[in-house]
Amino acid sequence: MDKRLPSLILLFISHALFAQLKSPDEFLGYPLGSKFTPHYKIVNYFNQAAAAMPQMMKLEKYGETYEGRDLLLAIVSTPENMNRIEEIRKNNLRLTGMLKDKPADAGQPVIIWLSYNVHGNEASSSEVSMKTLYELLSASNTQTKNWLKNTVIIIDPCLNPDGRDRYVNWFNQMAGKNADANVNSREHSEPWPGGRVNHYNFDLNRDWAWQTQVETQARIKKYNAWMPQIHCDFHEQGINSPYYFAPAAEPLHEVITPWQRQFQTTIGKNHARYFDANGWLYFTKEFFDLFYPSYGDTYPTYNGSIGMTYEQAGHSQGGLAVATNDGDTLTLKDRIAHHFTTSMSTIEIASQNSDKLIGEFKKYFDDGNTVGTGEYKTYVITETNTGRREALRKFFEINGISYGSISGTSMKGYNYFTGREEVFNAGNSMAVSAVQPKSALVKVLFEPKSKLSDSVTYDITAWSLPFVYGAQTYAVREKLPISNYAVPTKNASVVAGGYGYLINYNAFADVKFLAALLNEKIKVRMAEKDFTCNGKAYKKGTLIVLKKGNEDKMQEFAGLAQTYNAAVTTVSGGFMDAGFDFGSEKVHLIKKPAVALLTGRGVNPNAAGEVWHLFEQQLNYPITLINAEELDGSSLKDIDVLILPNGNYKFLNNKDASAEIKMWVQQGGKIIAFGSAVSSLSKAEWGLKLKKDDDKKEDKKDDKTQYADLKRYENRERDDIVNNIPGAIYKVEMDNSHPLAFGYDNNYFSLKLDSDLYEFMKDGWNVGVIKKENQAAGFVGSATREKIKDGTVIGVLPMGSGSVVFFADNPIFRNFWENGKMLLSNAVFLVGQ
């Protein structure tokens, strides 16, 4: 007998025991649903499953959050499919036309992508991800093994680990030994900013297309590498709501095909079968529409998928158990059971319809690649501002949108900025064809005016890229030939020994360069007026770096110019051909401002996060975060600029506290406010006057309106539509002679979420105004539309030695409103200099 045999047997048994797949309950050491699982334990569970079942599962780390937590994808199928998983992925891209190395094979498995926990405090779904994974892998579940023969399942267990851990860690600290179902218990009252958002307070479910956050950027790279046929986004809603699943509510965007609509119903009926059997309540076709393009259901839908949102009761307030209005107790175990059921039901119905799903998926992209979606077939970007054009090009890149170059003289197209069909000269422009794999997405993102099948919608109704980026564009009905696009290069070389250096200032990329120069303590000046130097015209706002005073910084200046690829022109002297010389009082030294942001309770978390992210991640410029409830004069001792995002500020309702901050402004401080913060300033009598509704002055009603207050109860959700503005784009006339508008043309397009305008100021600067009905895109209720005219939306109110800069609308909404970032930056760096 071989003496090594017992040892080998022991080693084999040990290895088998170590590699055995464990259920979530076994691995975690507690029943799933009895407590919330921290993200690291979810990661550990997926790792042990991958180690135990390598023949059926592949685990990939696709990125990290801002706080360093892993982002994972689990890919699951039969051993046979997993042996050729890379070929399945590539073949799926061939079906779309995104990969053209060889013809596609239509006989492939359906790819189903399950996205869990995009909102951190909707915490049941990451628990579900472990149960779903186990049932797909477990040998005891023969049903799932049959489904996996013609499906590939991709599981993202947690899209927002930072937000989840913020919620879970808080809850575990607040909860007692036993769950308290009383909704007034502290474990059901989450503190600011809540776990819904990521590290920078962003709602990741509204970031799919814009990709402002690292979590989204990493995910979309993987998504575009797979392009699944089905995508499910798991959410939670209020504790008293029944479960929601597809089909979605109107409005459904017109690009959504009859097949996509039909299969949502097919899936919904399959879910209903299981929910009916268990006596669970649910609803469909209400509230959750398919319109705004940057959700976890719409973005996949506009990329050829059956994109769906599933909503379970319980977000934030749910805890482990909570009493509901109908007298029941909703538990975490209930929430897990419901989401698990729709997970399994989705896989089941997809497996049963695999051939049809693949066939329709192929047809969707065949149509896009041959005919194109929508009335316009070519979008010609004639914008001459290199910075804006380059920002738009990068957006195309991250979304996998094909683009190129077009040249020509006279052609006809829809001018986004005038709202008319016009003849234009294409010159050498960037162009995007609607005839491509991303055809539907291109149509949705470029459409001048979206068509609403129902005016009651869940989000904004306008987002057209030319307005977002401030890029002059024409929509052409014909398909035009497009050639390869040559990325423009700038001359970033700095000639040593020059008297000074000029930097064009007309795009957000130039602001980044300015911030970097100030961080390095390089002295920068700006020209208040246009001027001509060495025969070349320069616009107001041009940045000037003189060698004098920067002698020991020239090497750093040259390096930063290379890093930021800045267009730098060397000049040999300070005498101008026309305009003011560099020594003039019209040329201002830009002092590096110390900037603070109000945050904390009372402040809109998303709005605060947008500013925080802009400064830290985009401008790389220091910003101090101050809790709004702790603000007083001493807080601002070393602060030059104070930013008030949307919020309800208690200090403005306190006369003494308000007077203390006003004194700080009068002594040279600067407040930058937007949205509801501006309204609060006006109510606190800071010199701003909210424009009133003139209709209120009329006391009499004519025969037509005397019965206007008589309404039908069944129409209660729609009666207020006349006062609604869920997000529409307005054309704003700009005074670009003011430093706040340096770098802009005569017009700017603002995203309005309310009807707020301010009276024209006699003692201030009305930098951005709406003089008449200047609606460019999006839905606005008839009563609200009448109000939005003849008022100021962007202004500067001098106050002693300081000033208040205000934006009636958020200039950096969700950080995707690219063309407003320079406005906010000008308010910080240029105004008051």
Side-chain angles (χ1 to χ4, degrees), residues 615-668:
F615 275 79
E616 282 202 349
Q617 295 294 329
Q618 299 176 60
L619 289 175
N620 194 30
Y621 191 87
I623 186 168
T624 298
L625 275 57
I626 299 176
N627 284 325
E629 293 188 339
E630 299 172 5
L631 180 71
D632 58 24
S634 64
S635 308
L636 303 177
K637 181 181 178 183
D638 299 314
I639 299 299
D640 302 306
V641 179
L642 180 64
I643 301 176
L644 278 63
N646 289 337
N648 181 20
Y649 296 95
K650 287 186 177 180
F651 77 88
L652 291 175
N653 299 321
N654 181 303
K655 283 190 175 181
D656 292 339
S658 181
E660 189 175 11
I661 303 305
K662 189 180 290 185
M663 178 70 71
W664 171 80
V665 174
Q666 291 169 338
Q667 292 174 349

Side-chain angles (χ1 to χ4, degrees), residues 533-829:
C533 181
N534 295 331
K536 183 178 178 181
Y538 292 87
K539 290 186 175 294
K540 58 184 72 74
T542 296
L543 303 180
I544 303 165
V545 175
L546 301 180
K547 182 178 179 181
K548 182 67 175 177
N550 288 310
E551 291 89 349
D552 60 341
K553 294 288 184 179
M554 295 316 298
Q555 186 173 351
E556 288 88 341
F557 174 67
L560 289 172
Q562 289 285 343
T563 300
Y564 289 88
N565 195 25
V568 178
T569 302
T570 306
V571 293
S572 57
F575 188 89
M576 299 299 102
D577 303 344
F580 296 96
D581 301 325
F582 291 161
S584 167
E585 63 175 11
K586 303 297 184 184
V587 176
H588 306 274
L589 181 67
I590 300 175
K591 299 175 183 177
K592 181 184 179 182
V595 184
L597 166 70
L598 288 190
T599 185
R601 197 163 67 172
V603 182
N604 181 296
N606 301 139
E610 290 157 11
V611 177
W612 184 20
H613 185 272
L614 183 83
F615 275 79
E616 282 202 349
Q617 295 294 329
Q618 299 176 60
L619 289 175
N620 194 30
Y621 191 87
I623 186 168
T624 298
L625 275 57
I626 299 176
N627 284 325
E629 293 188 339
E630 299 172 5
L631 180 71
D632 58 24
S634 64
S635 308
L636 303 177
K637 181 181 178 183
D638 299 314
I639 299 299
D640 302 306
V641 179
L642 180 64
I643 301 176
L644 278 63
N646 289 337
N648 181 20
Y649 296 95
K650 287 186 177 180
F651 77 88
L652 291 175
N653 299 321
N654 181 303
K655 283 190 175 181
D656 292 339
S658 181
E660 189 175 11
I661 303 305
K662 189 180 290 185
M663 178 70 71
W664 171 80
V665 174
Q666 291 169 338
Q667 292 174 349
K670 178 166 54 182
I671 280 181
I672 301 172
F674 22 103
S676 59
V678 186
S679 177
S680 296
L681 286 170
S682 70
K683 292 174 184 176
E685 299 180 350
W686 275 57
L688 303 172
K689 292 184 179 181
L690 190 65
K691 197 170 186 295
K692 301 295 183 181
D693 181 5
D694 292 336
D695 294 338
K696 293 179 182 177
K697 297 178 182 178
E698 297 184 14
D699 297 324
K700 296 181 179 180
K701 294 182 178 180
D702 57 28
D703 292 338
K704 188 176 181 181
T705 60
Q706 65 178 327
Y707 300 118
D709 292 336
L710 301 180
K711 302 175 182 179
R712 288 185 62 82
Y713 180 76
E714 65 181 351
N715 295 333
R716 63 193 183 279
E717 292 178 357
R718 299 186 174 277
D719 283 338
D720 198 44
I721 288 178
V722 294
N723 299 310
N724 195 23
I725 176 169
I729 298 172
Y730 271 77
K731 188 176 184 178
V732 178
E733 297 183 35
M734 301 291 283
D735 171 11
N736 61 8
S737 71
H738 193 283
L740 182 57
F742 281 179
Y744 287 86
D745 299 320
N746 294 325
N747 297 305
Y748 166 77
F749 291 89
S750 183
L751 181 66
K752 287 202 69 64
L753 300 174
D754 57 38
S755 60
D756 285 359
L757 284 87
Y758 293 85
E759 293 184 4
F760 298 137
M761 297 177 292
K762 293 181 180 179
D763 299 320
W765 302 105
N766 302 284
V767 179
V769 300
I770 298 176
K771 291 184 179 177
K772 53 185 178 180
E773 292 184 14
N774 259 340
Q775 180 187 356
F779 173 79
V780 183
S782 57
T784 298
R785 188 181 300 113
E786 288 297 313
K787 302 175 186 177
I788 305 178
K789 57 184 176 182
D790 299 324
T792 298
V793 288
I794 302 169
V796 179
L797 179 64
M799 190 174 289
S801 298
S803 60
V804 174
V805 183
F806 68 91
F807 300 93
D809 312 310
N810 184 349
I812 58 168
F813 182 74
R814 293 179 185 166
N815 256 356
F816 84 79
W817 204 259
E818 193 73 20
N819 199 31
K821 292 177 180 178
M822 193 173 187
L823 269 177
L824 176 56
S825 302
N826 287 352
V828 172
F829 297 117

Side-chain angles (χ1 to χ4, degrees), residues 65-129:
T65 68
Y66 285 109
E67 295 176 16
R69 294 179 177 89
D70 288 351
L71 296 165
L72 301 178
L73 284 183
I75 303 160
V76 181
S77 193
T78 61
E80 293 76 16
N81 286 335
M82 293 304 295
N83 283 336
R84 59 186 188 97
I85 194 65
E86 181 61 10
E87 178 56 27
I88 290 173
R89 184 189 70 80
K90 288 183 177 179
N91 186 69
N92 196 59
L93 293 182
R94 295 182 190 114
L95 292 173
T96 70
M98 294 168 66
L99 182 62
K100 300 176 181 179
D101 58 340
K102 64 181 182 180
D105 177 6
Q108 76 152 46
V110 173
I111 300 171
I112 304 160
W113 188 305
L114 306 177
S115 289
Y116 295 104
N117 218 162
V118 67
H119 293 148
N121 59 7
E122 300 174 9
S124 69
S125 66
S126 281
E127 312 287 342
V128 175
S129 72

Side-chain angles (χ1 to χ4, degrees), residues 456-504:
V456 180
T457 183
Y458 198 66
D459 211 297
I460 64 173
T461 58
W463 49 78
S464 189
L465 294 178
F467 300 129
V468 172
Y469 284 83
Q472 178 67 65
T473 303
Y474 294 84
V476 178
R477 297 181 188 276
E478 295 79 29
K479 180 189 174 187
L480 302 175
I482 295 176
S483 57
N484 290 335
Y485 184 79
V487 179
T489 58
K490 294 181 182 178
N491 178 19
S493 61
V494 175
V495 179
Y499 175 86
Y501 305 89
L502 305 180
I503 302 109
N504 289 333

